[in-house]
Amino acid sequence: MRRADRLFQIVQILRHRRLTTAQQLAERLEVSTRTVYRDIQDLCLSGIPIEGEAGVGYLLRQEVSVPPLMFNEQELEAIQVGMRMVQAQGGHELASAAKQAMIKVEAVLPDRLKAYQSLMFAPDFYSDSQLFSLLDLLRKYAREREYLMLSYQDVNQAESERQIRPLALYYWQGVWTLLAWCELRNDFRNFRVDRITGALPLGSHFDHSAGQEMADYIAKMTALYGRPAVSVARCEPDNEGL
């Protein structure tokens, strides 16, 4: 988390609590208490009216004005449900980011929406920590366009390895899949993330190549299925490895 974001969130948390200890802030923001003490000191020096001391707790002496966000109930519910789904299924990094983003949203809502809560939830009781970590890595490799040596187990439990260009991650029908350009097959392939047994970065990056990009895959699926691009971000039924 960027330090500026952390400072903003400390102010938002203190706005909604009578007294908050450094330990509570540290747990909420996933940092050390020493970091919280330093942040509190910097906020005070910048003019934020924070009262308190180490070992006792902190509060705001007066309201700090933040302009409200103009959402209606349906827009707010869409944000809440989306954030909950990311927290439950999006990997460690995005789960943490979604939680922090929701703090910011809730902090600047108009009064009439502050108590609004969607009744749609995405429980994380069965979240797979190993899968979460793999999602974080695959998202990183795809964004950085780094070649991978992928180890994979297909539906018949047959093991294979191939060099790929990771392009994007898709979530459909309760399953995360990795869209990639397979160097072995010289074509697009989709791999279920829960069947990936290893993803080794090869230390080299791939350039943009005509016909081998995510947009090319979407165009291909649109032509094949005759559906808008937004609805074809899925795995082909006969795709290898599924």
Side-chain angles (χ1 to χ4, degrees), residues 141-230:
Y141 296 142
R143 185 168 299 280
E144 296 179 356
R145 300 177 67 84
E146 185 164 2
Y147 279 108
L148 295 179
M149 182 61 69
L150 198 72
S151 300
Y152 192 74
Q153 186 177 78
D154 68 14
V155 66
N156 297 314
Q157 297 188 326
E159 298 281 350
S160 65
E161 287 191 347
R162 72 274 308 279
Q163 182 175 313
I164 65 164
R165 302 180 180 196
L167 298 175
L169 288 157
Y170 290 140
Y171 187 78
W172 64 285
Q173 297 181 354
V175 176
W176 277 109
T177 59
L178 172 68
L179 168 65
W181 179 264
C182 179
E183 300 291 334
L184 176 66
R185 303 301 182 187
N186 196 35
D187 199 357
F188 294 108
R189 286 294 184 266
N190 288 281
F191 303 96
R192 283 183 52 153
V193 175
D194 59 349
R195 292 180 183 160
I196 295 175
T197 57
L200 178 66
L202 297 180
S204 58
H205 297 80
F206 53 93
D207 296 324
H208 288 274
S209 301
Q212 299 179 4
E213 300 296 328
M214 179 175 63
D216 300 309
Y217 173 78
I218 292 176
K220 177 182 177 180
M221 293 296 98
T222 301
L224 181 62
Y225 292 101
R227 300 174 184 174
V230 70

Coordinates of all heavy atoms in Angstrom, one line a residue, residues 141-230:
Y141 N 3.0 -11.9 -13.7 CA 3.7 -12.3 -14.9 C 3.0 -11.8 -16.2 O 3.6 -11.4 -17.1 CB 3.8 -13.8 -14.9 CG 4.7 -14.4 -13.8 CD1 4.3 -15.6 -13.2 CD2 5.8 -13.7 -13.4 CE1 5.1 -16.1 -12.2 CE2 6.6 -14.2 -12.3 CZ 6.2 -15.4 -11.8 OH 7.0 -15.9 -10.7
A142 N 1.6 -11.9 -16.2 CA 0.9 -11.4 -17.3 C 1.0 -9.9 -17.5 O 1.2 -9.4 -18.7 CB -0.6 -11.8 -17.2
R143 N 1.0 -9.2 -16.4 CA 1.2 -7.7 -16.5 C 2.6 -7.3 -17.0 O 2.7 -6.4 -17.8 CB 0.8 -7.0 -15.2 CG 0.9 -5.5 -15.2 CD 0.3 -4.9 -14.0 NE -1.1 -5.3 -13.8 CZ -2.1 -4.7 -14.4 NH1 -1.9 -3.8 -15.3 NH2 -3.3 -5.1 -14.1
E144 N 3.6 -8.1 -16.5 CA 4.9 -7.8 -16.9 C 5.4 -8.5 -18.2 O 6.5 -8.3 -18.7 CB 5.9 -8.2 -15.8 CG 5.6 -7.4 -14.5 CD 6.6 -7.8 -13.4 OE1 7.3 -8.7 -13.5 OE2 6.5 -7.1 -12.3
R145 N 4.4 -9.3 -18.8 CA 4.7 -10.0 -20.1 C 5.9 -10.8 -20.0 O 6.8 -10.7 -20.8 CB 4.7 -9.0 -21.2 CG 3.4 -8.2 -21.3 CD 3.4 -7.1 -22.4 NE 3.5 -7.8 -23.8 CZ 2.5 -8.2 -24.5 NH1 1.2 -8.1 -24.0 NH2 2.6 -8.7 -25.7
E146 N 6.0 -11.7 -19.0 CA 7.2 -12.5 -18.8 C 6.9 -14.0 -19.3 O 5.8 -14.5 -18.9 CB 7.6 -12.5 -17.4 CG 8.9 -13.2 -17.1 CD 9.5 -12.9 -15.8 OE1 8.9 -12.1 -15.0 OE2 10.6 -13.4 -15.5
Y147 N 7.8 -14.5 -20.0 CA 7.6 -15.9 -20.4 C 7.6 -16.8 -19.2 O 8.4 -16.6 -18.3 CB 8.8 -16.3 -21.3 CG 8.7 -15.9 -22.8 CD1 9.5 -14.9 -23.3 CD2 7.8 -16.6 -23.6 CE1 9.4 -14.5 -24.6 CE2 7.7 -16.2 -25.0 CZ 8.5 -15.2 -25.5 OH 8.4 -14.9 -26.8
L148 N 6.8 -17.9 -19.3 CA 6.7 -18.8 -18.2 C 6.9 -20.3 -18.8 O 6.5 -20.6 -19.9 CB 5.3 -18.8 -17.5 CG 4.9 -17.5 -16.8 CD1 3.5 -17.7 -16.2 CD2 5.9 -17.3 -15.7
M149 N 7.5 -21.1 -17.9 CA 7.5 -22.5 -18.2 C 6.4 -23.1 -17.3 O 6.5 -23.1 -16.0 CB 8.8 -23.2 -17.9 CG 8.8 -24.7 -18.2 SD 8.5 -25.1 -19.9 CE 10.0 -24.5 -20.7
L150 N 5.3 -23.5 -17.9 CA 4.1 -23.9 -17.1 C 4.1 -25.5 -16.9 O 4.3 -26.2 -17.9 CB 2.9 -23.5 -17.8 CG 1.6 -23.4 -17.0 CD1 1.6 -22.3 -16.0 CD2 0.4 -23.3 -17.9
S151 N 3.9 -25.9 -15.7 CA 3.7 -27.3 -15.5 C 2.2 -27.5 -15.2 O 1.6 -26.8 -14.4 CB 4.5 -27.8 -14.2 OG 5.9 -27.6 -14.4
Y152 N 1.6 -28.5 -15.9 CA 0.1 -28.6 -15.9 C -0.4 -30.0 -15.8 O 0.3 -30.9 -16.4 CB -0.4 -27.9 -17.1 CG -1.9 -27.6 -17.1 CD1 -2.5 -26.6 -16.4 CD2 -2.8 -28.4 -17.9 CE1 -3.8 -26.4 -16.3 CE2 -4.1 -28.2 -17.9 CZ -4.7 -27.2 -17.1 OH -6.0 -26.9 -17.1
Q153 N -1.5 -30.2 -15.2 CA -2.1 -31.5 -15.1 C -3.5 -31.4 -15.7 O -4.4 -30.6 -15.1 CB -2.2 -32.0 -13.6 CG -2.7 -33.4 -13.4 CD -2.7 -33.8 -12.0 OE1 -3.6 -33.4 -11.2 NE2 -1.7 -34.6 -11.6
D154 N -3.8 -32.1 -16.8 CA -5.1 -32.0 -17.4 C -6.2 -32.8 -16.7 O -5.9 -33.4 -15.7 CB -5.0 -32.3 -18.9 CG -4.7 -33.8 -19.2 OD1 -4.9 -34.6 -18.2 OD2 -4.4 -34.1 -20.3
V155 N -7.4 -32.8 -17.3 CA -8.5 -33.5 -16.7 C -8.3 -35.0 -16.5 O -8.8 -35.6 -15.6 CB -9.8 -33.2 -17.6 CG1 -9.7 -33.9 -18.9 CG2 -11.0 -33.7 -16.8
N156 N -7.4 -35.5 -17.3 CA -7.0 -37.0 -17.2 C -5.8 -37.2 -16.3 O -5.3 -38.3 -16.3 CB -6.8 -37.6 -18.6 CG -8.1 -37.5 -19.4 OD1 -9.2 -37.8 -19.0 ND2 -7.9 -37.0 -20.7
Q157 N -5.4 -36.1 -15.6 CA -4.2 -36.2 -14.7 C -2.9 -36.4 -15.5 O -1.9 -36.8 -14.9 CB -4.4 -37.2 -13.6 CG -5.6 -36.9 -12.7 CD -5.6 -37.8 -11.5 OE1 -5.3 -39.0 -11.6 NE2 -6.1 -37.2 -10.4
A158 N -2.9 -36.1 -16.8 CA -1.7 -36.2 -17.6 C -0.8 -35.0 -17.3 O -1.4 -33.9 -17.4 CB -2.0 -36.4 -19.0
E159 N 0.5 -35.1 -17.0 CA 1.3 -34.0 -16.8 C 2.0 -33.5 -18.1 O 2.3 -34.3 -19.0 CB 2.4 -34.4 -15.8 CG 1.9 -34.9 -14.4 CD 1.6 -33.7 -13.5 OE1 1.9 -32.5 -13.9 OE2 1.0 -33.9 -12.5
S160 N 2.1 -32.2 -18.2 CA 2.8 -31.6 -19.4 C 3.5 -30.4 -19.0 O 3.2 -29.8 -17.9 CB 1.8 -31.4 -20.5 OG 0.9 -30.4 -20.1
E161 N 4.5 -30.0 -19.8 CA 5.2 -28.7 -19.6 C 5.2 -28.0 -20.9 O 5.4 -28.6 -22.0 CB 6.6 -28.9 -19.1 CG 6.7 -29.3 -17.6 CD 8.1 -29.2 -17.1 OE1 9.0 -29.1 -17.9 OE2 8.3 -29.2 -15.8
R162 N 5.0 -26.7 -20.9 CA 5.1 -25.9 -22.1 C 5.5 -24.5 -21.8 O 5.1 -24.0 -20.8 CB 3.9 -26.0 -23.0 CG 2.7 -25.3 -22.6 CD 1.8 -26.1 -21.6 NE 1.4 -27.4 -22.0 CZ 0.4 -27.7 -22.8 NH1 -0.2 -26.7 -23.4 NH2 0.1 -28.9 -23.0
Q163 N 6.2 -23.9 -22.8 CA 6.5 -22.5 -22.6 C 5.3 -21.6 -23.1 O 4.8 -21.9 -24.2 CB 7.8 -22.1 -23.4 CG 8.2 -20.7 -23.3 CD 9.5 -20.4 -24.0 OE1 10.5 -21.2 -23.8 NE2 9.6 -19.3 -24.8
I164 N 4.9 -20.6 -22.3 CA 3.8 -19.8 -22.7 C 4.0 -18.4 -22.5 O 5.0 -17.9 -21.8 CB 2.5 -20.2 -21.8 CG1 2.8 -19.9 -20.3 CG2 2.2 -21.7 -22.0 CD1 1.6 -19.8 -19.5
R165 N 3.1 -17.6 -23.1 CA 3.1 -16.1 -22.9 C 1.8 -15.9 -22.1 O 0.7 -16.0 -22.7 CB 3.0 -15.4 -24.2 CG 4.2 -15.6 -25.1 CD 4.0 -14.8 -26.4 NE 5.1 -15.0 -27.3 CZ 5.4 -14.2 -28.3 NH1 4.6 -13.1 -28.6 NH2 6.4 -14.5 -29.1
P166 N 1.8 -15.6 -20.8 CA 0.6 -15.4 -20.1 C -0.1 -14.1 -20.5 O 0.6 -13.0 -20.6 CB 1.0 -15.3 -18.6 CG 2.5 -14.9 -18.7 CD 3.0 -15.5 -20.0
L167 N -1.3 -14.1 -20.8 CA -2.0 -12.9 -21.3 C -3.1 -12.3 -20.4 O -3.2 -11.1 -20.3 CB -2.7 -13.2 -22.7 CG -1.7 -13.7 -23.8 CD1 -2.5 -14.1 -25.0 CD2 -0.7 -12.6 -24.1
A168 N -3.9 -13.2 -19.7 CA -4.9 -12.6 -18.9 C -5.5 -13.8 -18.0 O -5.3 -15.0 -18.3 CB -6.0 -12.0 -19.7
L169 N -6.2 -13.4 -17.0 CA -6.9 -14.3 -16.1 C -8.4 -14.1 -16.3 O -8.9 -13.0 -16.2 CB -6.5 -14.2 -14.7 CG -5.1 -14.7 -14.4 CD1 -4.5 -14.0 -13.1 CD2 -5.1 -16.2 -14.2
Y170 N -9.2 -15.2 -16.5 CA -10.6 -15.1 -16.6 C -11.3 -16.0 -15.5 O -10.8 -17.0 -15.1 CB -11.1 -15.7 -17.9 CG -10.8 -14.8 -19.1 CD1 -10.3 -15.4 -20.3 CD2 -10.9 -13.4 -19.1 CE1 -10.0 -14.6 -21.4 CE2 -10.6 -12.7 -20.2 CZ -10.2 -13.3 -21.3 OH -9.9 -12.5 -22.4
Y171 N -12.4 -15.4 -14.9 CA -13.1 -16.2 -13.9 C -14.5 -16.5 -14.5 O -15.3 -15.6 -14.8 CB -13.3 -15.3 -12.6 CG -13.9 -16.1 -11.5 CD1 -13.1 -17.0 -10.7 CD2 -15.2 -15.9 -11.1 CE1 -13.7 -17.7 -9.7 CE2 -15.8 -16.5 -10.1 CZ -15.0 -17.4 -9.3 OH -15.6 -18.1 -8.3
W172 N -14.8 -17.7 -14.7 CA -16.1 -18.1 -15.2 C -16.6 -19.4 -14.6 O -15.8 -20.3 -14.4 CB -16.0 -18.2 -16.8 CG -15.2 -19.3 -17.3 CD1 -13.8 -19.3 -17.3 CD2 -15.6 -20.5 -17.8 NE1 -13.3 -20.4 -17.9 CE2 -14.4 -21.2 -18.2 CE3 -16.8 -21.1 -18.1 CZ2 -14.4 -22.5 -18.8 CZ3 -16.8 -22.4 -18.6 CH2 -15.7 -23.1 -19.0
Q173 N -17.9 -19.5 -14.3 CA -18.5 -20.7 -13.8 C -17.7 -21.2 -12.6 O -17.5 -22.4 -12.3 CB -18.6 -21.8 -14.8 CG -19.5 -21.4 -16.0 CD -19.6 -22.5 -17.0 OE1 -19.0 -23.5 -17.0 NE2 -20.5 -22.3 -18.0
G174 N -17.2 -20.3 -11.7 CA -16.6 -20.6 -10.5 C -15.1 -21.1 -10.6 O -14.6 -21.6 -9.7
V175 N -14.5 -20.9 -11.8 CA -13.2 -21.4 -12.0 C -12.3 -20.3 -12.6 O -12.7 -19.6 -13.5 CB -13.2 -22.6 -13.0 CG1 -11.7 -23.0 -13.4 CG2 -13.9 -23.8 -12.4
W176 N -11.1 -20.1 -12.1 CA -10.1 -19.2 -12.7 C -9.4 -19.9 -13.8 O -9.0 -21.1 -13.7 CB -9.1 -18.7 -11.7 CG -9.5 -17.6 -10.8 CD1 -9.9 -17.6 -9.5 CD2 -9.7 -16.2 -11.2 NE1 -10.2 -16.3 -9.1 CE2 -10.1 -15.5 -10.1 CE3 -9.5 -15.5 -12.5 CZ2 -10.4 -14.1 -10.2 CZ3 -9.8 -14.2 -12.5 CH2 -10.2 -13.5 -11.4
T177 N -9.2 -19.3 -15.0 CA -8.4 -19.8 -16.1 C -7.4 -18.8 -16.5 O -7.6 -17.6 -16.5 CB -9.3 -20.2 -17.3 OG1 -10.0 -19.1 -17.7 CG2 -10.3 -21.3 -16.9
L178 N -6.3 -19.3 -17.0 CA -5.2 -18.5 -17.5 C -5.3 -18.6 -19.0 O -5.1 -19.7 -19.6 CB -3.9 -19.0 -17.0 CG -2.6 -18.3 -17.7 CD1 -2.5 -16.8 -17.2 CD2 -1.4 -19.1 -17.3
L179 N -5.5 -17.4 -19.7 CA -5.4 -17.3 -21.1 C -3.9 -17.1 -21.5 O -3.2 -16.2 -20.9 CB -6.2 -16.2 -21.7 CG -6.0 -15.8 -23.2 CD1 -6.4 -17.0 -24.1 CD2 -6.7 -14.6 -23.5
A180 N -3.4 -17.9 -22.4 CA -2.0 -17.8 -22.8 C -1.8 -18.1 -24.3 O -2.6 -18.8 -24.9 CB -1.1 -18.8 -21.9
W181 N -0.7 -17.6 -24.8 CA -0.2 -18.1 -26.1 C 0.8 -19.2 -25.9 O 1.8 -19.0 -25.2 CB 0.4 -16.9 -26.9 CG 0.9 -17.4 -28.2 CD1 2.2 -17.8 -28.5 CD2 0.2 -17.5 -29.4 NE1 2.3 -18.1 -29.9 CE2 1.0 -17.9 -30.4 CE3 -1.2 -17.2 -29.7 CZ2 0.6 -18.2 -31.8 CZ3 -1.6 -17.5 -31.0 CH2 -0.7 -17.9 -32.0
C182 N 0.5 -20.4 -26.4 CA 1.3 -21.5 -26.2 C 2.4 -21.6 -27.3 O 2.0 -21.8 -28.5 CB 0.5 -22.8 -26.1 SG 1.4 -24.3 -25.9
E183 N 3.6 -21.6 -27.0 CA 4.7 -21.7 -28.0 C 4.7 -23.1 -28.6 O 5.1 -23.2 -29.8 CB 6.0 -21.4 -27.3 CG 6.1 -20.0 -26.7 CD 6.1 -18.9 -27.8 OE1 6.5 -19.2 -28.9 OE2 5.7 -17.8 -27.5
L184 N 4.4 -24.1 -27.8 CA 4.4 -25.5 -28.4 C 3.3 -25.7 -29.4 O 3.5 -26.2 -30.5 CB 4.1 -26.5 -27.2 CG 4.0 -28.0 -27.6 CD1 5.4 -28.4 -28.2 CD2 3.6 -28.8 -26.4
R185 N 2.1 -25.2 -29.2 CA 1.0 -25.4 -30.1 C 0.8 -24.2 -31.1 O 0.0 -24.3 -32.0 CB -0.3 -25.5 -29.3 CG -0.4 -26.6 -28.3 CD -0.1 -28.0 -28.9 NE -0.2 -29.1 -28.0 CZ 0.1 -30.3 -28.3 NH1 0.5 -30.6 -29.5 NH2 0.0 -31.3 -27.3
N186 N 1.6 -23.1 -30.8 CA 1.5 -22.0 -31.7 C 0.1 -21.5 -31.8 O -0.4 -21.2 -32.9 CB 2.1 -22.3 -33.1 CG 2.4 -21.0 -33.9 OD1 2.8 -20.0 -33.3 ND2 2.3 -21.0 -35.2
D187 N -0.6 -21.4 -30.7 CA -2.0 -21.0 -30.7 C -2.4 -20.6 -29.3 O -1.6 -20.8 -28.3 CB -2.9 -22.1 -31.2 CG -4.3 -21.7 -31.6 OD1 -4.5 -20.4 -31.5 OD2 -5.0 -22.5 -32.1
F188 N -3.6 -20.0 -29.1 CA -4.1 -19.7 -27.8 C -4.5 -21.0 -27.1 O -5.0 -21.9 -27.7 CB -5.3 -18.8 -27.9 CG -5.0 -17.4 -28.5 CD1 -5.5 -17.1 -29.8 CD2 -4.4 -16.5 -27.7 CE1 -5.2 -15.9 -30.3 CE2 -4.1 -15.2 -28.3 CZ -4.5 -14.9 -29.6
R189 N -4.2 -21.0 -25.8 CA -4.7 -22.0 -24.9 C -5.1 -21.5 -23.6 O -4.7 -20.4 -23.1 CB -3.5 -23.0 -24.6 CG -3.2 -23.9 -25.8 CD -4.4 -24.9 -26.1 NE -4.1 -25.8 -27.2 CZ -4.4 -25.6 -28.5 NH1 -4.9 -24.4 -28.9 NH2 -4.1 -26.5 -29.4
N190 N -6.1 -22.1 -23.0 CA -6.6 -21.8 -21.6 C -6.3 -22.9 -20.7 O -6.4 -24.1 -21.0 CB -8.1 -21.5 -21.7 CG -8.5 -20.3 -22.4 OD1 -8.4 -19.2 -21.9 ND2 -8.9 -20.4 -23.7
F191 N -5.8 -22.5 -19.5 CA -5.4 -23.5 -18.5 C -6.2 -23.2 -17.2 O -6.1 -22.0 -16.7 CB -3.9 -23.4 -18.2 CG -3.1 -23.6 -19.4 CD1 -2.6 -22.5 -20.2 CD2 -2.8 -24.9 -19.9 CE1 -1.9 -22.7 -21.3 CE2 -2.0 -25.1 -21.0 CZ -1.6 -24.0 -21.7
R192 N -6.8 -24.2 -16.6 CA -7.4 -24.0 -15.3 C -6.3 -23.7 -14.3 O -5.4 -24.5 -14.1 CB -8.2 -25.2 -14.9 CG -9.6 -25.3 -15.6 CD -10.4 -26.5 -15.1 NE -10.5 -26.6 -13.7 CZ -11.6 -27.1 -13.1 NH1 -12.6 -27.6 -13.8 NH2 -11.6 -27.2 -11.8
V193 N -6.5 -22.7 -13.5 CA -5.4 -22.3 -12.5 C -5.3 -23.4 -11.5 O -4.2 -23.6 -11.0 CB -5.7 -20.9 -11.9 CG1 -4.7 -20.6 -10.8 CG2 -5.6 -19.9 -13.0
D194 N -6.4 -24.0 -11.1 CA -6.3 -25.0 -10.0 C -5.6 -26.3 -10.5 O -5.4 -27.2 -9.7 CB -7.7 -25.3 -9.4 CG -8.7 -25.8 -10.5 OD1 -8.4 -25.8 -11.7 OD2 -9.8 -26.3 -10.1
R195 N -5.3 -26.4 -11.8 CA -4.5 -27.6 -12.3 C -3.1 -27.2 -12.7 O -2.4 -28.1 -13.2 CB -5.3 -28.2 -13.5 CG -6.6 -28.8 -13.1 CD -7.3 -29.4 -14.4 NE -8.6 -29.9 -14.0 CZ -9.6 -30.1 -14.9 NH1 -9.4 -29.8 -16.2 NH2 -10.8 -30.6 -14.5
I196 N -2.7 -26.0 -12.4 CA -1.3 -25.6 -12.7 C -0.5 -26.0 -11.5 O -0.8 -25.7 -10.3 CB -1.2 -24.1 -12.9 CG1 -2.0 -23.6 -14.2 CG2 0.2 -23.6 -13.0 CD1 -2.0 -22.1 -14.4
T197 N 0.5 -26.8 -11.7 CA 1.3 -27.4 -10.7 C 2.7 -26.6 -10.5 O 3.4 -26.8 -9.6 CB 1.6 -28.8 -10.9 OG1 2.3 -29.0 -12.1 CG2 0.3 -29.6 -10.8
G198 N 3.0 -25.7 -11.5 CA 4.2 -24.9 -11.4 C 4.2 -23.9 -12.5 O 3.7 -24.1 -13.6
A199 N 4.8 -22.7 -12.1 CA 4.9 -21.6 -13.1 C 6.2 -21.0 -12.9 O 6.4 -20.2 -11.9 CB 3.7 -20.6 -12.9
L200 N 7.2 -21.3 -13.7 CA 8.6 -20.8 -13.5 C 8.9 -19.7 -14.5 O 8.8 -19.9 -15.7 CB 9.6 -22.0 -13.8 CG 11.0 -21.6 -13.7 CD1 11.4 -21.2 -12.3 CD2 11.9 -22.8 -14.2
P201 N 9.1 -18.5 -14.0 CA 9.5 -17.4 -14.9 C 10.8 -17.7 -15.6 O 11.8 -18.2 -14.9 CB 9.6 -16.2 -14.0 CG 9.9 -16.7 -12.6 CD 9.2 -18.1 -12.6
L202 N 10.9 -17.4 -16.9 CA 12.1 -17.7 -17.7 C 13.1 -16.5 -17.8 O 14.1 -16.7 -18.4 CB 11.7 -18.2 -19.0 CG 10.9 -19.5 -19.0 CD1 10.5 -19.9 -20.5 CD2 11.6 -20.6 -18.3
G203 N 12.8 -15.4 -17.2 CA 13.7 -14.3 -17.1 C 13.8 -13.5 -18.4 O 14.7 -12.7 -18.6
S204 N 12.8 -13.7 -19.3 CA 12.8 -12.9 -20.5 C 11.3 -12.5 -20.8 O 10.4 -13.1 -20.3 CB 13.3 -13.7 -21.7 OG 12.5 -14.9 -21.9
H205 N 11.2 -11.4 -21.5 CA 9.9 -10.8 -21.8 C 9.5 -10.8 -23.2 O 10.4 -10.8 -24.1 CB 9.8 -9.4 -21.3 CG 10.1 -9.2 -19.8 ND1 11.4 -9.3 -19.2 CD2 9.2 -9.1 -18.7 CE1 11.3 -9.2 -17.9 NE2 10.0 -9.1 -17.6
F206 N 8.2 -11.0 -23.5 CA 7.7 -11.1 -24.9 C 7.2 -9.7 -25.3 O 6.6 -9.0 -24.5 CB 6.7 -12.2 -25.1 CG 5.5 -12.1 -24.1 CD1 4.4 -11.5 -24.5 CD2 5.6 -12.8 -22.9 CE1 3.3 -11.5 -23.6 CE2 4.5 -12.8 -22.0 CZ 3.3 -12.1 -22.4
D207 N 7.4 -9.4 -26.6 CA 6.9 -8.2 -27.2 C 5.4 -8.4 -27.7 O 4.9 -9.5 -27.7 CB 7.7 -7.8 -28.4 CG 9.2 -7.4 -27.9 OD1 9.3 -6.9 -26.8 OD2 10.1 -7.8 -28.7
H208 N 4.8 -7.3 -28.0 CA 3.5 -7.3 -28.6 C 3.6 -7.9 -30.0 O 4.5 -7.5 -30.8 CB 2.8 -5.9 -28.7 CG 2.4 -5.4 -27.4 ND1 1.2 -5.7 -26.8 CD2 3.1 -4.6 -26.5 CE1 1.1 -5.1 -25.6 NE2 2.3 -4.4 -25.4
S209 N 2.8 -8.9 -30.3 CA 2.8 -9.6 -31.6 C 1.4 -9.7 -32.2 O 0.5 -10.2 -31.5 CB 3.4 -11.0 -31.4 OG 4.7 -11.0 -30.8
A210 N 1.3 -9.3 -33.4 CA 0.0 -9.3 -34.1 C -0.5 -10.8 -34.1 O 0.2 -11.7 -34.4 CB 0.1 -8.8 -35.5
G211 N -1.8 -10.9 -33.7 CA -2.4 -12.3 -33.8 C -2.2 -13.1 -32.5 O -2.7 -14.2 -32.4
Q212 N -1.4 -12.6 -31.6 CA -1.1 -13.4 -30.4 C -1.5 -12.6 -29.1 O -1.0 -13.0 -28.0 CB 0.4 -13.7 -30.4 CG 0.9 -14.5 -31.6 CD 2.3 -14.8 -31.6 OE1 3.0 -14.5 -30.6 NE2 2.8 -15.4 -32.6
E213 N -2.3 -11.7 -29.2 CA -2.7 -10.8 -28.0 C -4.1 -11.2 -27.5 O -4.9 -11.8 -28.2 CB -2.6 -9.4 -28.4 CG -1.2 -8.9 -28.8 CD -0.1 -9.1 -27.7 OE1 -0.5 -8.9 -26.5 OE2 1.0 -9.3 -28.0
M214 N -4.4 -10.7 -26.3 CA -5.7 -10.9 -25.8 C -6.8 -10.4 -26.7 O -7.9 -11.1 -26.9 CB -5.8 -10.3 -24.4 CG -7.2 -10.5 -23.7 SD -7.2 -9.8 -22.0 CE -7.0 -8.0 -22.4
A215 N -6.6 -9.2 -27.3 CA -7.6 -8.7 -28.2 C -7.9 -9.6 -29.4 O -9.0 -9.7 -29.9 CB -7.2 -7.3 -28.6
D216 N -6.8 -10.3 -29.8 CA -7.0 -11.2 -31.0 C -7.8 -12.4 -30.5 O -8.6 -12.9 -31.3 CB -5.6 -11.6 -31.5 CG -4.7 -10.5 -31.9 OD1 -5.2 -9.7 -32.7 OD2 -3.6 -10.4 -31.5
Y217 N -7.6 -12.9 -29.3 CA -8.3 -14.0 -28.8 C -9.8 -13.7 -28.7 O -10.7 -14.4 -29.1 CB -7.8 -14.4 -27.5 CG -8.6 -15.5 -26.8 CD1 -8.6 -16.8 -27.2 CD2 -9.5 -15.2 -25.8 CE1 -9.3 -17.8 -26.6 CE2 -10.3 -16.1 -25.1 CZ -10.2 -17.4 -25.5 OH -11.0 -18.4 -24.9
I218 N -10.1 -12.5 -28.2 CA -11.5 -12.0 -28.0 C -12.1 -11.9 -29.4 O -13.3 -12.3 -29.6 CB -11.6 -10.7 -27.2 CG1 -11.1 -11.0 -25.8 CG2 -13.0 -10.1 -27.3 CD1 -11.1 -9.7 -24.9
A219 N -11.4 -11.3 -30.4 CA -12.0 -11.2 -31.7 C -12.2 -12.6 -32.3 O -13.3 -12.8 -33.0 CB -11.0 -10.5 -32.6
K220 N -11.3 -13.5 -32.0 CA -11.5 -14.9 -32.5 C -12.8 -15.6 -31.9 O -13.6 -16.2 -32.6 CB -10.3 -15.7 -32.2 CG -10.4 -17.2 -32.6 CD -9.1 -17.9 -32.2 CE -9.2 -19.4 -32.5 NZ -8.0 -20.2 -32.1
M221 N -13.0 -15.4 -30.6 CA -14.1 -16.0 -30.0 C -15.4 -15.3 -30.4 O -16.4 -16.0 -30.5 CB -14.0 -15.9 -28.4 CG -12.8 -16.7 -27.9 SD -13.1 -18.5 -28.1 CE -12.1 -18.8 -29.5
T222 N -15.4 -14.0 -30.6 CA -16.5 -13.3 -31.1 C -17.0 -13.8 -32.4 O -18.2 -14.0 -32.7 CB -16.3 -11.8 -31.1 OG1 -15.9 -11.3 -29.8 CG2 -17.5 -11.0 -31.6
A223 N -16.0 -14.0 -33.3 CA -16.3 -14.5 -34.7 C -16.8 -16.0 -34.6 O -17.7 -16.3 -35.3 CB -15.1 -14.4 -35.5
L224 N -16.3 -16.7 -33.7 CA -16.6 -18.1 -33.6 C -18.0 -18.3 -33.0 O -18.8 -19.2 -33.5 CB -15.6 -18.9 -32.7 CG -15.8 -20.4 -32.5 CD1 -15.7 -21.1 -33.9 CD2 -14.7 -20.9 -31.6
Y225 N -18.3 -17.6 -31.9 CA -19.6 -17.8 -31.2 C -20.6 -16.7 -31.5 O -21.8 -16.9 -31.1 CB -19.3 -17.8 -29.7 CG -18.6 -19.0 -29.3 CD1 -17.2 -18.9 -29.0 CD2 -19.2 -20.2 -29.1 CE1 -16.5 -20.0 -28.6 CE2 -18.5 -21.4 -28.7 CZ -17.1 -21.2 -28.5 OH -16.4 -22.3 -28.1
G226 N -20.2 -15.6 -32.2 CA -21.2 -14.6 -32.6 C -21.8 -13.9 -31.4 O -22.9 -13.5 -31.4
R227 N -20.9 -13.7 -30.4 CA -21.4 -13.0 -29.2 C -20.5 -11.7 -29.0 O -19.4 -11.7 -29.4 CB -21.2 -13.9 -27.9 CG -22.1 -15.1 -28.0 CD -21.8 -16.0 -26.9 NE -22.5 -17.3 -27.0 CZ -22.4 -18.3 -26.1 NH1 -21.5 -18.2 -25.1 NH2 -23.0 -19.4 -26.3
P228 N -21.0 -10.8 -28.2 CA -20.2 -9.6 -27.9 C -19.0 -10.0 -27.2 O -19.0 -11.0 -26.4 CB -21.2 -8.7 -27.0 CG -22.5 -9.2 -27.3 CD -22.4 -10.7 -27.7
A229 N -17.9 -9.2 -27.3 CA -16.6 -9.5 -26.7 C -16.7 -9.7 -25.2 O -16.0 -10.6 -24.7 CB -15.6 -8.4 -27.1
V230 N -17.6 -9.0 -24.5 CA -17.6 -9.0 -23.1 C -18.1 -10.4 -22.6 O -17.8 -10.8 -21.5 CB -18.5 -7.9 -22.5 CG1 -20.0 -8.1 -22.8 CG2 -18.3 -7.8 -21.0

